[in-house]
Amino acid sequence: MVFFIGISMLSCKNKTTVKPAETNTTLTEYYTEPFRPQYHFSPEEKWMNDPNGMVYKDGVYHLFYQYYPDDIVWGPMHWGHAVSKNLVHWKHKPIALFPDRLGYIFSGSTVVDYNNTSGFGTVENPPLVAIFTYHLAEGEKTGKNDFQTQGIAYSLDNGDTWVKYEGNPVIGNKDIRDFRDPKVIWHEPSKHWVLTLVAGNHAKFYTSENLKEWDLMSEFGADKGAHGGVWECPDLFPIKVSGSDEEKWVLLISINPGAPNGGSGTQYFIGDFDGTKFETSQQETKWIDWGTDNYAGVTYSNAPNNERIFIGWMSNWNYAQKTPTLKWRSAMTLPRKFSLKKNNDDFTLYNYPVENVDKLKKVQLKKEIAIPSKGSDVISYENFNQAEIRFKTTSKDFKLSFMNESDEVLVMGALAAKQKFFIDRQKSGVIDFQDGFGNLQQMPIPNLPNAPYEVRILMDKSSVEIFINEGQYVMTAQLFPIKSYTRLKIENLGVDALLLSDFEVSKVKGIW
Ligand code: FRU
């Protein structure tokens, strides 16, 4: 994003409090405000952006996040904190990291330092080490370019309390204006830590033995991929090609603006990494998600079974600060598992909700649907806005319109002639807070199989996530309908009969 100067860092220092969730759970109105997501993570109140420091330790998934506890717009950044045992139910924790004399606490990552390489803990009680960007607002105002540096902090009590390292910053900066969002991994073959950060239009890779002293090893990307805006929030990790032993490396890069449907989005590169250098032969720009509202997402460190679990921020800098919620702003995507598929030497990173999301489901309606060419069918259901709609089809020519009693309609569908899937939120609900919010969103779907493939739609009050063919093609978008959608019109745009098999509508239980 373009940062706001003029907000004093000192104005926020030490004056923030957040109530842990347990103090609120008895209140019946808890998490029931208009547009409040029921099964996605959102902060109890105030402003949230990127997920940060996602790490798994001792049976607990930690989610930290960019947080401004004093307002529902972006401001001096803290790290908010929540924990979960199943990635679905979350418990809020007190703020983990506060701004200090070196600046606001911008995005970053957390690792478990099992070998106590940092010396902050012991091998018996390994520290959690957070690596983040310091953003010094006063420095930005001077017009110099040295105001973003990298700092570290550690916790010996599983993230409840944090101590900032007295030697901060661990990576200084003289002249790079956008220099941020460090993501750290342990590279086992080289037995060192690798830190990836972004510097304007490229990524930089550093290595370290102890998380405190870092050496710059290489750079990537000034001449690769999409460059419609600044690179942000990188992530670098290995992943096995599904059904084989081949291992590739994935580099995620968020970019703002410059996403395929405007504003913020996340591209990825598939390549190789030898411990110091990332290389790829990829030519085409690839996107994790083609919808407007999945940004700054990264994956869990240390997740069980080497799984790659991704969470993104379900918003877009084009309008993130203007969406029509009052008490809080924005939510995270559902946690999604990555898998890498290879087809004729071309790689695609699939992302699909983690299995625990299925446990929230209660099937309410199940049927087989057949609609003649140019025909339509209408399904009624009390609340599509807290539901999953799922079916299988071979058709690439259909339209789905979710409608409510206020004449609002969210439209989506596949267009065979254009080989595209689209979302149209022009009439979906409140859209007037930002010009262009209703613009048509499109996603190319050139490689869908001819065999039946799955369409899975998860709607939650003010968002929709669409997973096509189990995560081959994905779109995520916010929407703000005044009332719940209660009718779904299914139209067959094709010349053959439209067959939807295993068509299911399920209620998705709330998590709060
Ligand atoms: C991405 C981002 C990051 C930065 C943070 C500041 O949304 O701009 O690059 O660290 O948000 O809140």
Side-chain angles (χ1 to χ4, degrees):
M1 73 170 298
V2 177
F3 301 108
F4 295 172
I5 49 178
I7 303 170
S8 162
M9 181 186 90
L10 295 172
S11 70
C12 70
K13 218 176 155 191
N14 299 333
K15 77 170 208 206
T16 49
T17 50
V18 148
K19 290 172 267 114
E22 49 267 280
T23 58
N24 284 299
T25 42
T26 50
L27 300 178
T28 49
E29 71 272 22
Y30 190 60
Y31 273 69
T32 57
E33 304 91 346
F35 309 127
R36 178 67 101 166
Q38 296 301 297
Y39 60 93
H40 285 75
F41 180 82
S42 63
E44 283 184 314
E45 55 176 12
K46 307 302 179 190
W47 169 267
M48 174 181 83
N49 57 291
D50 315 356
N52 293 152
M54 287 153 53
V55 65
Y56 176 86
K57 182 169 183 264
D58 301 337
V60 176
Y61 293 89
H62 294 264
L63 171 63
F64 301 90
Y65 50 90
Q66 288 287 275
Y67 189 51
Y68 181 40
D70 292 345
D71 206 342
I72 56 163
V73 290
W74 189 87
M77 284 289 115
H78 302 53
W79 273 25
H81 185 198
V83 290
S84 174
K85 294 203 165 123
N86 59 8
L87 287 167
V88 169
H89 295 96
W90 296 94
K91 186 173 147 196
H92 296 290
K93 302 283 273 182
I95 289 176
L97 294 173
F98 290 78
D100 62 44
R101 67 184 171 84
L102 293 174
Y104 305 165
I105 314 295
F106 271 19
S107 288
S109 50
T110 299
V111 293
V112 187
D113 182 11
Y114 279 114
N115 298 325
N116 193 32
T117 61
S118 61
F120 290 144
T122 57
V123 174
E124 294 71 42
N125 184 26
L128 279 177
V129 180
I131 308 96
F132 51 85
T133 296
Y134 271 120
H135 173 94
L136 192 61
E138 287 82 347
E140 185 181 15
K141 276 180 240 163
T142 65
K144 288 207 239 140
N145 286 335
D146 57 357
F147 53 88
Q148 293 189 339
T149 58
Q150 320 309 320
I152 61 177
Y154 64 91
S155 170
L156 299 177
D157 56 7
N158 284 325
D160 283 349
T161 58
W162 291 85
V163 180
K164 303 229 184 76
Y165 175 49
E166 77 261 1
N168 279 339
V170 292
I171 302 181
N173 173 21
K174 287 204 174 58
D175 52 10
I176 307 176
R177 194 171 171 77
D178 294 294
F179 185 65
R180 58 181 179 266
D181 307 340
K183 178 83 194 283
V184 173
I185 55 167
W186 175 254
H187 191 254
E188 181 57 28
S190 339
K191 302 255 183 288
H192 61 210
W193 299 100
V194 175
L195 181 153
T196 308
L197 58 67
V198 279
N201 68 350
H202 65 276
K204 289 185 188 291
F205 303 99
Y206 296 74
T207 61
S208 173
E209 307 292 324
N210 58 13
L211 294 164
K212 296 170 178 163
E213 289 144 280
W214 294 94
D215 297 314
L216 177 63
M217 305 308 284
S218 67
E219 297 181 349
F220 170 83
D223 56 355
K224 292 263 173 13
H227 282 279
V230 171
W231 281 23
E232 299 187 311
C233 300
D235 192 1
L236 175 73
F237 55 87
I239 190 167
K240 286 255 163 73
V241 175
S242 296
S244 103
D245 273 340
E246 186 180 2
E247 184 179 83
K248 298 300 285 182
W249 283 76
V250 179
L251 178 66
L252 303 184
I253 298 283
S254 282
I255 171 172
N256 177 62
N261 283 295
S264 320
T266 303
Q267 60 177 322
Y268 67 92
F269 300 90
I270 307 294
D272 298 297
F273 182 73
D274 63 2
T276 59
K277 196 169 192 299
F278 178 81
E279 285 177 318
T280 180
S281 54
Q282 182 179 315
Q283 298 297 325
E284 179 200 356
T285 303
K286 295 178 187 275
W287 302 95
I288 292 291
D289 189 317
W290 287 77
T292 43
D293 295 281
N294 180 355
Y295 192 58
V298 288
T299 63
Y300 265 94
S301 178
N302 197 41
N305 309 317
N306 275 328
E307 285 189 343
R308 275 294 146 193
I309 297 163
F310 167 97
I311 295 179
W313 172 47
M314 206 153 44
S315 199
N316 189 311
W317 282 116
N318 272 354
Y319 45 72
Q321 308 192 75
K322 300 185 193 166
T323 53
T325 59
L326 296 174
K327 187 171 176 192
W328 87 101
R329 273 232 177 86
S330 78
M332 297 300 180
T333 65
L334 286 173
R336 304 173 183 183
K337 200 164 112 181
F338 277 142
S339 52
L340 185 65
K341 313 267 173 169
K342 186 174 180 181
N343 190 1
N344 298 329
D345 284 336
D346 186 43
F347 295 97
T348 306
L349 193 61
Y350 282 47
N351 68 99
Y352 194 65
V354 298
E355 282 154 21
N356 283 347
V357 171
D358 282 321
K359 299 192 183 143
L360 298 173
K361 270 178 39 175
K362 197 160 170 263
V363 179
Q364 307 280 299
L365 190 156
K366 198 173 168 112
K367 60 196 258 186
E368 304 298 303
I369 294 179
I371 303 175
S373 175
K374 311 296 174 210
S376 65
D377 198 356
V378 175
I379 312 262
S380 295
Y381 176 63
E382 59 181 5
N383 181 9
F384 280 114
N385 292 74
Q386 193 182 329
E388 180 196 87
I389 301 91
R390 202 197 273 232
F391 57 83
K392 290 211 172 82
T393 190
T394 53
S395 169
K396 284 142 196 167
D397 240 344
F398 58 87
K399 188 161 116 180
L400 308 176
S401 305
F402 292 92
M403 301 175 282
N404 67 14
E405 286 163 11
S406 302
D407 286 335
E408 294 168 336
V409 52
L410 170 70
V411 189
M412 62 184 73
L415 304 172
K418 295 190 168 161
Q419 295 199 15
K420 282 195 173 147
F421 197 90
F422 71 93
I423 302 178
D424 184 349
R425 51 184 185 181
Q426 185 66 42
K427 299 198 172 113
S428 60
V430 182
I431 64 159
D432 60 0
F433 52 88
Q434 176 66 42
D435 282 353
F437 184 81
N439 289 356
L440 192 68
Q441 301 183 31
Q442 302 193 68
M443 164 170 73
I445 46 169
N447 300 321
L448 266 188
N450 293 323
Y453 67 93
E454 184 193 74
V455 176
R456 183 176 177 194
I457 301 165
L458 284 141
M459 233 189 287
D460 187 6
K461 298 291 173 190
S462 48
S463 67
V464 62
E465 289 164 284
I466 306 167
F467 300 92
I468 297 179
N469 196 25
E470 299 185 359
Q472 181 182 9
Y473 296 110
V474 179
M475 291 186 100
T476 302
Q478 289 188 87
L479 39 117
F480 300 95
I482 298 290
K483 288 193 177 142
S484 288
Y485 304 124
T486 50
R487 282 181 311 136
L488 166 59
K489 184 172 180 193
I490 307 170
E491 287 170 82
N492 181 359
L493 308 178
V495 287
D496 299 322
L498 172 65
L499 303 177
L500 308 185
S501 60
D502 300 329
F503 179 92
E504 264 180 28
V505 179
S506 306
K507 177 184 165 71
V508 185
K509 276 184 253 158
I511 59 169
W512 299 105

